[in-house]
């Protein structure tokens, strides 16, 4: 953060400091918004940037962005190494704003387009965080391959309609365990016997 505060001394076009009354307006007027780590790698400054319309510059090495598999984060944000915060960062951002304004504009358009993915009150059925969470869960479920609990056995016999054997999925219910035993048999565990219940 000390390096960020030094950047604030570059002039009135760089605004770094404490809380001010017109904080949202200042963010809305900015091309870029610094997103340093807080007390943890996560910080709400990132999500504030979406609604202020300033391109987030993430300065938190350990921060893992949400929905990285679904969203094209490089199209609307910058992630800069914490150790390199300083003159190099200032020159890079100044160069973008001065010599590549079309790229800055494209990133702002992409930022606005992606804001609905972080809006928990979004009424757009095709763009909301709930939809991304649902996709993520569906992808995880598809990765869990169904696997047979048994192999090299006659599965047609076990569980067949004309068989007295239960399906293999319930095979574990046919054997005694420390918590149950068959009717008419004595338990191997005296603490499970009827006298002790």
């Amino acid at each position: 953060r000390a390096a960020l505060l030094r950047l604030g001394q570059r002039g009135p076009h760089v605004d770094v400091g404490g809380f001010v009354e017109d904080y949202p307006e200042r963010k809305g007027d900015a091309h870029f918004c610094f997103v340093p780590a807080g007390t943890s790698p996560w910080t709400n400054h990132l999500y504030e940037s979406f609604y202020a319309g300033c391109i987030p510059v993430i300065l938190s090495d350990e921060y893992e962005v949400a929905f990285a598999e679904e969203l094209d984060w490089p199209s609307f944000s910058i992630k800069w190494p914490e150790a390199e915060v300083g003159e190099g960062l200032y020159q890079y951002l100044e160069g973008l704003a001065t010599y590549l304004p079309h790229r800055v504009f494209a990133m702002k358009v992409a930022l606005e387009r992606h804001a609905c993915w972080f809006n928990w009150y979004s009424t757009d059925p095709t763009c909301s965080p709930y939809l991304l969470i649902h996709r993520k869960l569906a992808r995880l479920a598809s990765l869990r391959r169904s696997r047979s609990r048994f192999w090299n056995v006659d599965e047609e016999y076990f569980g067949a309609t004309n068989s007295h054997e239960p399906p293999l999925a319930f095979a574990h219910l046919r054997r005694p365990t420390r918590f149950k035993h068959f009717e008419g048999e004595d338990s191997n565990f005296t603490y499970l016997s009827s006298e002790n219940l």
Side-chain angles (χ1 to χ4, degrees):
R1 288 185 178 269
L4 280 178
L5 291 174
R6 285 194 294 271
L7 286 181
Q9 301 171 3
R10 294 301 303 255
H13 59 296
V14 181
D15 191 355
V16 180
F19 291 103
V20 290
E21 291 184 1
D22 59 343
Y23 171 76
E25 289 78 7
R26 294 191 187 193
K27 292 197 76 161
D29 290 338
H31 288 311
F32 306 99
C33 287
F34 293 136
V35 183
T39 54
S40 69
W42 180 89
T43 171
N44 63 348
H45 293 302
L46 175 59
Y47 302 101
E48 289 175 355
S49 299
F50 279 98
Y51 304 109
C54 58
I55 299 167
V57 181
I58 304 169
L59 307 173
S60 176
D61 295 350
E62 303 303 319
Y63 184 71
E64 295 291 335
V65 294
F67 312 123
E69 303 89 353
E70 298 279 354
L71 304 182
D72 183 17
W73 280 87
S75 71
F76 57 84
S77 67
I78 297 168
K79 190 172 185 187
W80 193 269
E82 289 182 57
E84 300 301 321
V85 173
E87 185 64 21
L89 174 58
Y90 173 82
Q91 295 293 342
Y92 177 75
L93 297 179
E94 185 184 46
L96 283 178
T98 304
Y99 303 109
L100 298 171
H102 59 283
R103 184 176 174 189
V104 174
F105 178 76
M107 293 182 76
K108 285 199 170 193
V109 170
L111 181 76
E112 184 176 350
R113 188 173 64 249
H114 285 80
C116 56
W117 294 115
F118 300 93
N119 181 4
W120 295 98
Y121 299 97
S122 173
T123 57
D124 184 350
T126 65
C127 186
S128 77
Y130 299 104
L131 181 59
L132 286 182
I133 291 172
H134 182 269
R135 289 179 183 174
K136 176 71 171 180
L137 293 175
R139 186 165 57 252
L140 291 175
S142 69
L143 295 176
R144 297 186 61 183
R145 294 180 299 172
S146 178
R147 185 177 303 166
S148 175
R149 296 180 63 222
F150 307 96
W151 47 87
N152 294 331
V153 296
D154 187 356
E155 296 191 18
E156 292 185 1
Y157 173 74
F158 289 96
T161 55
N162 59 349
S163 169
H164 297 293
E165 299 290 339
L168 284 177
F170 301 102
H172 61 288
L173 300 178
R174 301 199 306 271
R175 69 178 187 277
T177 69
R178 62 179 298 176
F179 299 110
K180 69 180 189 306
H181 57 279
F182 294 128
E183 185 177 356
E185 294 181 353
D186 293 329
S187 171
N188 293 327
F189 301 93
T190 56
Y191 65 87
L192 290 179
S193 63
S194 56
E195 299 101 29
N196 295 325
L197 295 179

